Amino acid sequence: MALMLGPSCRRHAGRVLAISKPSAWNSRSFATEVPSPAEEFDVVIVGGGPAGLALATALDIGAWAHVDGSRVAKLEDMQVWDGLSDARIEFSASELRTLSGSGRVQQIAHMTENLNLQRGLLRRLSDFPSVKLLDNVKVDGIKAEEADNGGWPTLKLSDGKTLRARLLVGADGFNSPVKKYAGIRTYGWAYDTHAVVGTMFHSPPFPGTPRTAYQRFLPTGPIAFLPLSDTAASLVWSTKPHLAAALKAAHPDVLRKMINAAFRLPDVSMKVLYDVLQDTKSQVTPEEIAETIRWREDSHGIAPLSSLSSVEAEGSAAVGGYGGEADMPPLVTAIQPGSVAGFPLRLSHAEVYVGEGAGARTALVGDAAHTVHPLAGQGLNMGLADVQALSKCIENAVQLGADIGSRTALLPYPRARYFENHKLLSATDKLHKLYGTSFPPVVWARSVGLEVINELESVKSVLMMNAGSSEPSNAGRGSDASPLWDVAAAGVEGVSRAVHSVEAVARGVGNLGMALIQEARRK
């Protein structure tokens, strides 16, 4: 099962979870006992987002039952297409049922808001007295005791408390204090891209319509429509920083009209809308942006009431994927007040997940260990897979009576997760670069590749299983699907290398080469 989070989230950098030895561990003793006036805990987790809370609940103790089911959407279909060529790929849960030979697969993934998931995890935590939640506090400092086998980390909190941890886990985001304390370096780079997120409202679907997610790759970045319920969806629009700033500052009615147009209008018209949006003389009004969109639709011969029209048919339930034609999302009718936000995007990967030396007895999970472009919707799933692998290490150490903070006990965690995360980070980064260009030979190559993959149901099923449609095993990924994921990831890298070769050759032959390629496409 995959979880893809909506934007209604708050960062909990000021949340610490401290876990003392629960009753299930009482039959085993730990290898290290050091007296201290500070409060001692077996595991201290800095960061109370989904990854930190999931680790505190150890993933498999029933937290999902505490999540509000009315705010969880089963994703049954996904439409992804190129904003320049309109090459399209469709993912459907029915293809998974065909491949598995059973009718048990009912969704590609689950969509829910970050806040909903966190509430469910917090409700479940309240059932466990061994977990102590320290909210609205900051970590003022971390230092290590001197010991031959790695001293316990000691945390100084903003409320004056001092905690000692046999194992300190950083689930505290990219700028992780735990990572800094452990001396773990990170490699990566910032994208020239910001994400604009928000919650959108739209007309309800017709009965029997599959709940569908939509993503269109524009030259400035992908825009995604991710359903949260029958009448609400999450927006994730990755675009250039100056456009992101203009979208966030725009009137809500201007923003929703821009969203509807971004899924429908050709790139040449979107460029016109961007110019209107960024007019520094005065803030564009909803009437002005609507008139510009109507003019651009007329110039392209887009008929009113068609699935490509976003103005004349506005408010009609008969337009868009939830109305009748499944190739476009339903028209956005409103933006939830206060839900629009933005943040810069980057790729980052910690050199190691487990500290050593002066930074011993530490481990990183989630965004503290890696950050990824949201185009594949896999950031949360990567973090939960980290948590599953780390909790298994802790469980094994407890069963053996070993020290849960020792390097020996923790090493199976990075062995299970580091390369798996690296593959997904690499593939996502290459997809971002692949769709970030409008160079014609590259557009042609990626479009052909996308349409070929769309005809290969087995390959699409592998991609869906690894996006979370199958039940997790082997640290978050089905063991039988893992080799196929390797093939899929290698395929993305191969396509990327081929595209770069095409680009280099085309530029070398100049205009003649371009003319020949364009002529071949016309034929």
Side-chain angles (χ1 to χ4, degrees), residues 52-110:
L53 291 172
L55 181 59
T57 57
L59 275 184
D60 57 354
I61 58 174
W64 187 247
H66 293 262
V67 173
D68 184 355
S70 66
R71 299 173 72 92
V72 177
K74 291 183 178 180
L75 195 61
E76 302 165 292
D77 199 83
M78 183 178 294
Q79 298 274 347
V80 182
W81 69 101
D82 192 313
L84 292 178
S85 69
D86 287 333
R88 183 179 294 256
I89 186 170
E90 178 180 1
F91 298 97
S92 175
S94 62
E95 294 172 340
L96 281 173
R97 287 195 291 270
T98 301
L99 184 67
S100 65
S102 70
R104 292 182 297 172
V105 180
Q106 299 178 351
Q107 67 279 322
I108 297 173
H110 285 80

Side-chain angles (χ1 to χ4, degrees), residues 96 99-100 417 419-420 423 458-490:
L96 281 173
L99 184 67
S100 65
R417 292 302 308 153
F419 187 54
E420 292 297 315
K423 287 186 293 185
S458 59
V459 174
K460 290 197 294 181
S461 296
V462 169
L463 294 174
M464 284 187 283
M465 285 189 291
N466 283 279
S469 298
S470 60
E471 288 298 319
S473 62
N474 192 22
R477 177 156 286 124
S479 57
D480 56 343
S482 185
L484 293 174
W485 171 252
D486 294 344
V487 173

Side-chain angles (χ1 to χ4, degrees), residues 57 61-64 66 119-128:
T57 57
I61 58 174
W64 187 247
H66 293 262
R119 283 174 177 167
L121 290 167
L122 286 169
R123 290 190 188 105
R124 184 55 176 163
L125 279 180
S126 65
D127 296 335
F128 293 86

